Amino acid sequence: MQDRRLQDFLGRWQIRRGIVHDDGTRGQFEGEAAWRAEGRDALYLETGRLSLGAQGAFQAERRYLWSSELTVFFEDGRLFHVVPPQGGDTAHWCPPDQYDGSYDFSHWPHWQVVWRVSGPRKSYVSTTRYSPLAGSTP
């Protein structure tokens, strides 16, 4: 399998995310992700509509900074995790919750990341699928 580089992600992607809480509550996010080059790094911006249980749908967004080495940082500069270039496992400890992620690039340019979050405050699985948008570079 080919190693992924930051350049492989640049452009716009369609996102579909399913969220399943251990108590059976479900959520869904549909939107778009864009990686925009900023020097050797890239800004990741995700926008779309999130629905969680009975709350109804609302606009949601998140931003991360991806380094050229595939290290992902929160918007405030804190380390989030490292993306394995061939896919595979990664993790993030956010006291008191543990985030265990797994990247799957086996059907590139369609790919996914699954996060299992466990702890006293959170307990769910989030599966995000990415597909290139028409006219985008991936």
Side-chain angles (χ1 to χ4, degrees):
M1 182 178 298
Q2 178 181 351
D3 279 5
R4 294 287 131 216
R5 302 176 340 228
L6 181 60
Q7 292 78 9
D8 297 331
F9 298 95
L10 296 179
R12 295 172 44 228
W13 300 78
Q14 178 183 27
I15 311 173
R16 294 185 191 278
R17 176 176 300 128
I19 304 163
V20 180
H21 292 264
D22 285 358
D23 68 3
T25 305
R26 294 181 175 272
Q28 183 174 327
F29 177 87
E30 291 192 24
E32 182 177 309
W35 278 262
R36 185 182 74 224
E38 292 198 347
R40 293 185 50 219
D41 302 325
L43 176 65
Y44 172 92
L45 174 61
E46 179 180 296
T47 57
R49 296 204 41 90
L50 175 64
S51 59
L52 290 172
Q55 294 181 23
F58 56 92
Q59 285 298 119
E61 76 172 42
R62 65 170 57 158
R63 296 172 192 263
Y64 297 111
L65 178 65
W66 282 46
S67 78
S68 58
E69 294 83 23
L70 299 183
T71 302
V72 182
F73 296 90
F74 292 106
E75 199 171 9
D76 65 6
R78 291 177 299 127
L79 174 65
F80 182 18
H81 67 284
V82 177
V83 176
Q86 290 190 341
D89 297 337
T90 190
H92 172 72
W93 171 245
C94 184
D97 302 312
Q98 176 67 35
Y99 290 69
D100 293 308
S102 182
Y103 282 81
D104 181 355
F105 301 131
S106 62
H107 297 98
W108 189 266
H110 302 273
W111 58 282
Q112 73 175 20
V113 60
V114 177
W115 285 98
R116 172 73 178 125
V117 182
S118 55
R121 295 188 313 185
K122 301 175 184 173
S123 190
Y124 64 88
V125 174
S126 169
T127 303
T128 305
R129 291 179 175 84
Y130 293 82
S131 299
L133 283 170
S136 190
T137 55

